[in-house]
Amino acid sequence: SWRYVMLAHGEYEVAFHGEYREIVENERIVTTEVYEGAPPAPEGEDVLNVITFTEVDGRTLVELLVQAPSKEVRDVIVNSGMETGLQEQMEILDELLQSLT
């Protein structure tokens, strides 16, 4: 299992948790994801994150697929600002990786 808490907009904490469903070293990570501020989802209706890592010309391509159990859940995720937050996280990760080379 996993859990993380982040500070959104420097103002308030936002927490998520989930379970690892699959880990294939250097290839794929599959997890469930639950936003702790949302009402509990019905059994079997977890959001599933599939992260794949593919080497392309000596670099690693990272792809994230978020599988929502319904259009309604998908729309809540999209309208939450997740895309902006995820882009900010990727930019921070890129800066960190560049500092290690």
Side-chain angles (χ1 to χ4, degrees):
S1 64
W2 62 269
R3 182 175 190 265
Y4 71 86
V5 179
M6 66 180 193
L7 192 59
H9 307 288
E11 297 176 17
Y12 54 92
E13 291 185 345
V14 179
F16 300 85
H17 69 271
E19 295 180 355
Y20 292 98
R21 294 272 176 93
E22 178 183 5
I23 298 175
V24 179
E25 188 174 355
N26 299 320
E27 291 181 23
R28 177 180 168 102
I29 300 172
V30 180
T31 70
T32 60
E33 181 173 331
V34 176
Y35 167 53
E36 294 182 7
E43 183 69 31
E45 292 194 16
D46 295 325
V47 171
L48 200 63
N49 294 324
V50 180
I51 307 164
T52 57
F53 306 92
T54 308
E55 188 172 336
V56 178
D57 298 327
R59 299 179 73 175
T60 302
L61 174 66
V62 179
E63 295 178 280
L64 170 60
L65 172 65
V66 178
Q67 296 178 324
S70 68
K71 180 182 180 304
E72 292 76 24
V73 171
R74 182 208 62 192
D75 291 348
V76 167
I77 293 168
V78 169
N79 293 324
S80 72
M82 177 274 284
E83 184 177 354
T84 301
L86 184 59
Q87 184 61 45
E88 289 171 358
Q89 291 173 2
M90 291 296 140
E91 289 169 2
I92 292 168
L93 181 58
D94 189 47
E95 289 174 17
L96 174 64
L97 293 172
Q98 288 183 30
S99 75
L100 298 174
T101 59

